[in-house]
Amino acid sequence: MAEGSLSDDFQGAKPGSARGPLPGRWNSRGRAMTFQVWGWRREDASQVLAWVPDAKGGRGAPMPRRTPATKDPTAVERANLLNMAKLSIKGLIESALSFGRTLDSDYPPLQQFFVVMEHCLKHGLKVRKSFLSYNKTIWGPLELVEKLYPEAEEIGASVRDLPGLKTPLGRARAWLRLALMQKKMADYLRCLIIQRDLLSEFYEYHALMMEEEGAVIVGLLVGLNVIDANLCVKGEDLDSQVGVIDFSMYLKNEEDIGNKERNVQIAAILDQKNYVEELNRQLNSTVSSLHSRVDSLEKSNTKLIEELAIAKNNIIKLQEENHQLRSENKLILMKTQQNLEVTKVDVETELQTYKHSRQGLDEMYNEARRQLRDESQLRQDVENELAVQVSMKHEIELAMKLLEKDIHEKQDTLIGLRQQLEEVKSINIEMYQKLQSSEDGLKEKNEIIARLEEKTNKITVAMRQLEQSSSLSFTQS
């Protein structure tokens, strides 16, 4: 892009030099950062790139322009958002320099900056389906910064602990405000755009944060470190705010164009001041690291001195022990020589005795050899008998195992028979009880039958009497 080429053209320029139209902020290595191209417009960049240098290094003749092809709508959106981010950041810095560089939540350029950043972060954001609705928020990628940048864990915890924030969008807006107050927004977003494989889970491939425009905006955000912001996030309603870009703030009038040179000079002075502050901060960190290193070296030096004194004492003790061991070694050597002389005399006498007794020893050796042969034969016989006993023992053990197995099977059979006997007993008892109950019922039925027979006899007698009486009455009539 034109912006990237222009920023490369300004690398190596020093503050206050006449090479660039707007001196930028300087890091510890003396290289200018990319936000120094705020004052350039896309038309200016096209004019710079449209000229070819001649052999003497002059401007030369203009290059023939190509007819632009049909632009991609997503590329146009990214370019528009990049231009709005440039205007917003530039207007915020210029107004803050004239306002006093300490801003609060009600400052209009600051509010518009947050709205523009929200639109930039929302560009190309993937829609995630939830249980009840669709979710499209920038809190997901911002929450990912905690895993990539350990210092961002504190700001994430602070946002989650804020009371009154109910939506992810409100948490994201609070995160942007806290990051601006910490002057770490550029660092946080730089760690985010580097990890494009992780960022692709939240954004489409053509999103602003996935393309070069995202890197340019992150470079522009470095310039906001010159601003001191005092924002009250706790009492502000960030969930229900409607982010609308106010383009009227960025329409320049003649007075603003006349004050441009003065703002450029103020910005150059402030950038030089920031460069000196950055250099001073790095020198302070270097001095503190050197002090800590000197302290560690002093501690190690004292420890080495103590170890050296201990080593000298050990050397003296070892020298005394060496002298004592040498004297003892001399005494031992003298005693050993005396003992060797005495031993030599004894050995000579024993040698003579051995020569005289060697003949008797040979006879004893032959006798011992014969006894050894006899003992070997006897041992062979005993080993054969032992092998027979071992085989018999194995057979006996096998028979015992078979017998134990048979006994266990018989015991299992006996237990089963006992269980069957118990079941037969229980069945007999039940049958006996049923028999008793059936006999009792039979007795009751016999009694009922006897009573019924008596009633039947009585009824037959009564019937006969009634028949007789009816026959008499019939005859009489």
Side-chain angles (χ1 to χ4, degrees):
M1 295 181 62
E3 289 79 10
S5 62
L6 287 173
S7 63
D8 294 336
D9 182 60
F10 281 93
Q11 297 292 330
K14 295 185 179 179
S17 63
R19 184 175 182 179
L22 282 176
R25 189 183 175 197
W26 293 83
N27 56 15
S28 59
R29 297 181 181 179
R31 299 183 66 187
M33 296 186 179
T34 56
F35 71 91
Q36 60 187 348
V37 299
W38 294 331
W40 288 77
R41 295 190 303 273
R42 188 177 297 272
E43 293 80 4
D44 298 333
S46 61
Q47 291 175 7
V48 172
L49 296 176
W51 294 90
V52 179
D54 54 8
K56 296 181 180 180
R59 191 169 183 181
M63 292 175 59
R65 295 182 178 269
R66 295 181 180 179
T67 303
T70 304
K71 293 185 178 180
D72 187 9
T74 58
V76 175
E77 289 180 1
R78 292 196 302 269
N80 291 336
L81 289 173
L82 176 61
N83 292 328
M84 284 307 305
K86 288 181 181 180
L87 292 174
S88 175
I89 295 171
K90 179 183 177 182
L92 179 61
I93 294 175
E94 289 178 353
S95 61
L97 296 178
S98 60
F99 186 70
R101 294 195 300 145
T102 302
L103 310 178
D104 53 5
S105 301
D106 297 332
Y107 193 59
L110 185 60
Q111 294 178 356
Q112 285 299 308
F113 164 73
F114 288 126
V115 172
V116 172
M117 285 302 301
E118 185 177 335
H119 280 78
C120 292
L121 293 173
K122 284 183 178 179
H123 183 261
L125 195 66
K126 290 182 178 180
V127 178
R128 294 179 175 268
K129 294 182 180 180
S130 62
F131 183 70
L132 297 176
S133 62
Y134 292 94
N135 185 14
K136 187 176 181 180
T137 179
I138 59 176
W139 174 239
L142 294 181
E143 196 174 15
L144 184 63
V145 178
E146 300 180 23
K147 300 178 181 178
L148 305 176
Y149 201 85
E151 295 182 4
E153 295 179 357
E154 182 179 356
I155 185 174
S158 300
V159 169
R160 283 187 287 269
D161 293 338
L162 284 174
L165 294 180
K166 300 179 181 179
T167 61
L169 183 58
R171 297 190 187 95
R173 289 168 175 171
W175 190 93
L176 291 174
R177 283 156 175 78
L178 292 177
L180 180 64
M181 286 193 291
Q182 288 184 353
K183 299 183 180 181
K184 291 289 186 68
M185 185 183 295
D187 298 333
Y188 294 157
L189 295 181
R190 184 183 296 109
C191 294
L192 190 61
I193 64 173
I194 290 174
Q195 302 292 334
R196 294 196 177 185
D197 52 346
L198 299 176
L199 205 61
S200 61
E201 297 180 3
F202 302 96
Y203 288 99
E204 301 289 346
Y205 68 95
H206 57 79
L208 178 74
M209 297 297 291
M210 300 289 290
E211 296 293 337
E212 295 180 358
E213 287 85 355
V216 174
I217 291 176
V218 171
L220 296 174
L221 291 175
V222 179
L224 297 178
N225 294 338
V226 301
I227 298 174
D228 296 329
N230 186 12
L231 308 178
C232 182
V233 184
K234 187 174 182 181
E236 191 173 356
D237 184 13
L238 300 176
D239 294 328
S240 60
Q241 288 185 2
V242 179
V244 179
I245 301 176
D246 186 8
F247 292 96
S248 62
M249 296 181 60
Y250 307 108
L251 298 176
K252 302 295 182 180
N253 52 20
E254 296 179 356
E255 294 179 359
D256 294 334
I257 296 172
N259 294 330
K260 182 177 180 181
E261 185 177 356
R262 181 178 58 84
N263 293 332
V264 167
Q265 294 176 357
I266 294 174
I269 294 170
L270 290 175
D271 289 332
Q272 292 177 0
K273 176 180 175 293
N274 291 326
Y275 169 71
V276 174
E277 289 178 354
E278 182 72 18
L279 185 61
N280 189 17
R281 185 182 64 81
Q282 292 186 357
L283 290 175
N284 289 330
S285 63
T286 306
V287 170
S288 61
S289 63
L290 289 175
H291 279 305
S292 60
R293 188 173 179 184
V294 167
D295 294 336
S296 62
L297 289 174
E298 288 178 354
K299 292 179 181 178
S300 61
N301 190 15
T302 54
K303 189 182 291 184
L304 290 173
I305 290 172
E306 293 176 356
E307 291 178 355
L308 180 62
I310 294 170
K312 288 182 179 179
N313 295 328
N314 292 330
I315 290 171
I316 293 170
K317 290 181 181 178
L318 290 173
Q319 288 177 354
E320 293 177 354
E321 291 178 358
N322 189 12
H323 181 68
Q324 185 177 0
L325 289 173
R326 285 183 178 180
S327 60
E328 291 178 356
N329 191 12
K330 290 180 181 179
L331 294 175
I332 291 170
L333 183 60
M334 292 174 64
K335 291 181 180 180
T336 305
Q337 289 177 356
Q338 294 175 0
N339 292 329
L340 284 174
E341 292 176 356
V342 174
T343 305
K344 189 175 180 181
V345 175
D346 294 336
V347 168
E348 289 179 355
T349 55
E350 288 179 358
L351 182 60
Q352 295 295 330
T353 306
Y354 171 72
K355 288 180 180 179
H356 291 297
S357 60
R358 182 174 181 179
Q359 187 176 0
L361 289 173
D362 291 337
E363 294 176 356
M364 291 174 65
Y365 172 71
N366 293 328
E367 182 66 22
R369 188 174 182 182
R370 185 180 59 79
Q371 290 180 0
L372 178 62
R373 192 182 302 112
D374 295 337
E375 292 290 338
S376 299
Q377 185 64 34
L378 181 61
R379 180 181 178 184
Q380 186 68 31
D381 296 337
V382 171
E383 287 179 352
N384 293 332
E385 186 177 358
L386 180 61
V388 173
Q389 293 292 332
V390 169
S391 62
M392 291 177 65
K393 183 179 179 182
H394 286 305
E395 291 177 357
I396 292 169
E397 289 179 353
L398 182 60
M400 289 294 291
K401 289 180 180 179
L402 294 173
L403 183 59
E404 288 177 356
K405 184 177 181 182
D406 191 10
I407 290 170
H408 287 303
E409 290 177 354
K410 289 180 179 179
Q411 286 179 354
D412 295 336
T413 306
L414 183 60
I415 291 169
L417 291 173
R418 286 179 180 175
Q419 291 178 354
Q420 291 178 3
L421 182 60
E422 293 293 335
E423 292 176 356
V424 169
K425 285 181 179 181
S426 61
I427 292 169
N428 289 333
I429 291 168
E430 290 178 359
M431 294 296 291
Y432 179 75
Q433 291 176 357
K434 289 180 180 179
L435 180 60
Q436 290 292 332
S437 62
S438 62
E439 286 178 356
D440 294 337
L442 184 60
K443 286 179 181 180
E444 291 177 358
K445 289 178 181 179
N446 289 330
E447 291 176 357
I448 293 168
I449 291 168
R451 288 196 296 269
L452 290 173
E453 286 178 354
E454 289 178 358
K455 289 181 180 180
T456 305
N457 292 330
K458 289 179 181 180
I459 291 169
T460 53
V461 172
M463 290 291 291
R464 286 175 184 176
Q465 290 177 359
L466 290 172
E467 288 177 358
Q468 289 176 1
S469 62
S470 61
S471 63
L472 289 175
S473 63
F474 180 72
T475 54
Q476 289 176 2
S477 62

